Amino acid sequence: MTMSSMQRVLTTLGHKEPDRVPFFLLLSMHGARELGLSIKDYFSKSEHVVEGQLRMLNKYRHDCLYPFFYTPLEVEAFGGEVLFYEDGPPNSGTPIIKKKSDILSLTVPAVTETACLVKVFETIHALKEKVGDETPIIGVVVSPFSLPVMQMGLSAYIELLYEDPGLFNKLMAVNQQFCVAWANAQLQAGATAICYFNPMASPTMIAREMYLKTGFQVDTQTLSQIQGPTAFHLASGNALPILGDLAAMGTAAVGVSCLEDISALKEGCRNKLTIIGNLNGVEMRRWTPSQAEKNVRDLIAAAADGGGFILSDNHGEIPWQVGEETLQAISNAVHKWGNYSQE
Amino acid sequence: MIHSNSELVTAFSAKLLNMDRLGAEEIINNSQKNNTPLQIVEGLVVPALEEIGKGWEEGTVALAQVYMGSRICEELVDLFLPPSSSERSSQPRMAIVLLDDYHALGKMIVYATLRASGYELQDYGRLTAKELVQRVCDDSIEVVLISTLMLRSALQVKDVKTWLLAAGSQTKIIVGGAPFRFDPQLWKEVGADEMGATAGEAVTAVENSMGVVA
Ligand code: B12
């Protein structure tokens, strides 16, 4: 029996094998290319993103809709600046927290009244009207623990984290309140689940002991207040040493890096966490169709058995430079090699 | 002489990993009795930073430790090997830049590591490819270190290379940053001469290109 994308994803999240391997092509900017718009124009209206997402769902026959705009959207909500490019994702501009004491006057934006966030709610709402319960709609938030990188810059944030626990806690309180409201409003608009981006939790960024003392507490509290299923995405940061900690937080899935061994990840996650990953997005722009097919096939062979696996890129966003031919080849390969009953 | 004293290197990197500036300073002070500044840099600081960089690449050391460690070393080395010291190597003539990108931390770490390793170099901050080529030519830079975090920025190294060649420049290009770590062939594709996966490897890459420049 052929399952709907929703049934397929729910089955794998329950650590059972669905009809075929579910796959998420986490495409954001490529919608602009579909519509012949610049990246900046594309993200200026929810109608564009709705149209772009639906066209790509149809074209690549994958298993989710991804109403993700770009992570600096959240600093935009706090009054920050966003820099757009013709050929890549928007970046956050000058930090809104210029000196540490600025944290004391930081206030939580009202999510349902902030124009840039409302665009996302409208997008999710319109997508939900179109697909109902057939296809999962994945909302996105940045963890309160990672957001400060864009609010104040990475080096200033590392110094705050190690040297000023008082102000760190203050910043976490503001960000947490924002994150919970932002996630729940997306769920209310029709998102099926929330992808919770938090590369700062990764041992690539900070040592596990430090994470357990700081971000772990924040994330545990935040996730418990999000009223829907979550996936914890490390945005291609390493995961192996903290898999147990992530499972303990009650998240359903983890986005993992291609720089770690997929078999070890599979063992660490089995029956605890669903793996999302881990095709190398940066390298993908050079793949020929046959390389794409081989990489997909190898990944399925290593990680798909028993369910608990959603094939995807390892960052949570496929780079602008990856062409349509490669994306088609990935899709064809999953449809060809991802059938569970074949084995 | 501390050369090849691996116990001392391990002790020193442990202090850095714990972000224990005073402890690290004490080891340096004790070593100063029997070693010249350059011996301390080459026998203690560089190997420790290399070890930390390797740990980061292998996933046992976190970025926060790499960053704080490189900063501590840069400060400590400045104390006994001041920027104006004739013992610092200002050869080859070098500059470091963040190429059309807003993520400065990688560049900061590499800069601090090279300075802690006894090199002097110019910090160009953030420039576009065009601006960079102009500066490199104006300053007769022999080795330029380019850091990027975004893929679109990494791809612009191609333009830097093309325009440098067109200007008749022989400047060596060393690249680094996340896109080059994720795609190990990218540095060649964009026409760089060397790539470093960690800040420690930046030191090796500079040494390699010195051989070529000399
Ligand atoms: C943490 C992280 C985040 C955090 C913070 C990022 C930040 N610094 O601002 C958050 C969640 C905010 C984030 C957001 C985004 N991110 Co991000 N993120 C990461 C992650 C996990 C680590 C990046 C980091 O800061 N590393 C720390 C720095 C210091 O490391 P580094 O640059 O590699 O430098 C080291 C070495 O490479 C070397 N080195 C550096 N420069 C040089 C130079 C020379 C000459 C040499 C020899 C060596 C050298 O030394 C350094 C220390 O050892 C990486 C993936 C990864 N595993 O690396 C993705 C990554 C950088 N992100 C990426 C992207 C795209 C984004 C977004 C644009 C996504 C979006 N659409 O919104 C946003 C933009 C954010 C912004 N600032 O505006 C991509 C960039 C590549 C690409 N696809 O274009 C990456 C590589 C993920 C991927 N695999 O694709 N991200």
Side-chain angles (χ1 to χ4, degrees), chain A residues 282-304:
Chain A
V282 173
E283 204 189 59
M284 203 178 271
R285 56 180 273 281
R286 282 197 293 99
W287 291 355
T288 61
S290 62
Q291 280 170 326
E293 178 170 0
K294 180 180 184 309
N295 290 335
V296 167
R297 197 180 169 185
D298 290 350
L299 178 54
I300 289 174

Side-chain angles (χ1 to χ4, degrees), chain A residues 83 85 87-88 91 154-155 158-159 162-163 203-207 236 238 258-259 280 282-283 285-286 314 319 321, chain B residues 19 56 59 61-65 67-68 71 102-103 105 108 150-152 155 158 179 181-186 189:
Chain A
L83 308 166
Y85 300 99
D87 56 354
N91 280 187
L154 182 50
S155 48
I158 290 175
E159 283 159 26
Y162 282 84
E163 289 163 7
T204 301
M205 302 304 283
I206 66 163
S236 78
N238 288 351
C258 64
L259 299 180
N280 186 340
V282 173
E283 204 189 59
R285 56 180 273 281
R286 282 197 293 99
N314 74 336
Q321 285 77 9
Chain B
M19 302 182 196
W56 180 65
V61 169
L63 178 85
Q65 294 164 299
Y67 168 57
M68 300 297 249
R71 289 298 289 271
Y102 278 80
H103 304 87
L105 188 60
M108 279 162 71
M150 293 294 120
L151 179 57
R152 61 173 291 282
L155 291 168
K158 270 185 200 163
R181 296 201 306 117
F182 279 90
D183 181 354
Q185 289 179 37
L186 187 59
E189 182 189 324

Side-chain angles (χ1 to χ4, degrees), chain A residues 68 70-72 89-92 142 146 149-150 154 199 204-205 234-237 282 314-315 317 319, chain B residues 56 63 66 103 105-107 109-110 145-152 174-179 181-182 196-199 202:
Chain A
F68 166 58
Y70 40 84
T71 54
N91 280 187
S92 51
V142 177
S146 282
V149 180
M150 291 185 290
L154 182 50
T204 301
M205 302 304 283
L234 294 161
S236 78
V282 173
N314 74 336
H315 174 229
E317 178 180 71
Chain B
W56 180 65
L63 178 85
V66 177
H103 304 87
L105 188 60
K107 188 203 70 169
I109 295 173
V110 175
L145 295 112
I146 301 178
S147 177
T148 67
L149 196 71
M150 293 294 120
L151 179 57
R152 61 173 291 282
I174 304 176
V175 292
R181 296 201 306 117
F182 279 90
T198 64

Side-chain angles (χ1 to χ4, degrees), chain A residues 98 109 117 129 172 179 185 187 204 274 293:
Chain A
K98 295 187 176 63
L117 306 181
E129 298 255 284
M172 288 304 108
C179 181
L187 290 166
T204 301
T274 289
E293 178 170 0

Side-chain angles (χ1 to χ4, degrees), chain B residues 160-174:
Chain B
V160 174
K161 176 75 177 182
T162 311
W163 295 335
L164 279 176
L165 285 178
S169 160
Q170 302 281 312
T171 309
K172 298 287 164 220
I173 300 177
I174 304 176

